[in-house]
């Protein structure tokens, strides 16, 4: 079991890797000779990885503002799970045509949406902490 004090460092590392993979896949897709539908999937995965890498950085910053709350950790975990399931599956389908796990793609999308909702709750909770 991972100590919760090390999770922000893990989240930062994952955000860096997600950003790297997002930029790299976007670059490869812009030069690859692939079908239009595959390029669309890869482009979408690239965009989602980059945006959610930034969102994950936000969850790390929130953790610093809310050290006694697990909500930023839950937010970050949802973003990571969502990126793996959603963008990961789109990349597998787009690059190698492997869609055996494509049923998990919508679950990844739901994780990303719930992650954003959790992020919003962090903001509300942070505001209530500051008001007291």
């Amino acid at each position: 079991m991972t100590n919760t004090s090390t999770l922000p460092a893990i989240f930062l590392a994952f955000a860096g890797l997600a950003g790297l993979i997002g930029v790299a896949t976007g670059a490869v897709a812009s030069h690859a000779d692939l079908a239009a539908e595959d390029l669309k999937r890869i482009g979408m995965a690239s965009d989602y990885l980059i945006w959610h890498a930034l969102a994950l950085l936000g969850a790390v910053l929130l953790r610093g503002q809310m050290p006694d709350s697990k909500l930023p950790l839950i937010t970050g975990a949802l973003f990571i799970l969502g990126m793996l399931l959603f963008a990961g599956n789109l990349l597998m389908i787009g690059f190698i045509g492997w869609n055996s796990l494509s049923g998990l793609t919508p679950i990844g999308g739901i994780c990303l949406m719930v992650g954003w909702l959790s992020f919003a709750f962090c903001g509300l909770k942070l505001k209530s902490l500051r008001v007291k």
Side-chain angles (χ1 to χ4, degrees), residues 55-93:
L56 188 54
L57 293 175
V60 171
L61 292 173
L62 279 172
R63 176 64 174 175
Q65 295 294 310
M66 306 168 69
D68 296 330
S69 175
K70 296 218 185 295
L71 197 53
L73 300 177
I74 292 167
T75 302
L78 285 164
F79 285 148
I80 289 173
L81 186 59
M83 284 188 273
L84 289 171
L85 294 176
F86 184 80
N89 278 316
L90 289 178
L91 291 174
M92 286 192 295
I93 294 167

Side-chain angles (χ1 to χ4, degrees), residues 4-83:
T4 58
S5 65
T6 63
L7 285 176
I10 293 168
F11 288 1
L12 281 174
F14 192 93
L17 290 174
L20 169 70
I21 293 167
V23 171
T25 56
V28 168
S30 70
H31 300 288
D33 185 22
L34 296 168
E37 192 64 30
D38 290 333
L39 290 173
K40 183 178 172 184
R41 283 185 183 103
I42 293 166
M44 181 180 287
S46 174
D47 290 345
Y48 273 68
L49 283 170
I50 293 168
W51 284 111
H52 287 89
L54 294 172
L56 188 54
L57 293 175
V60 171
L61 292 173
L62 279 172
R63 176 64 174 175
Q65 295 294 310
M66 306 168 69
D68 296 330
S69 175
K70 296 218 185 295
L71 197 53
L73 300 177
I74 292 167
T75 302
L78 285 164
F79 285 148
I80 289 173
L81 186 59
M83 284 188 273

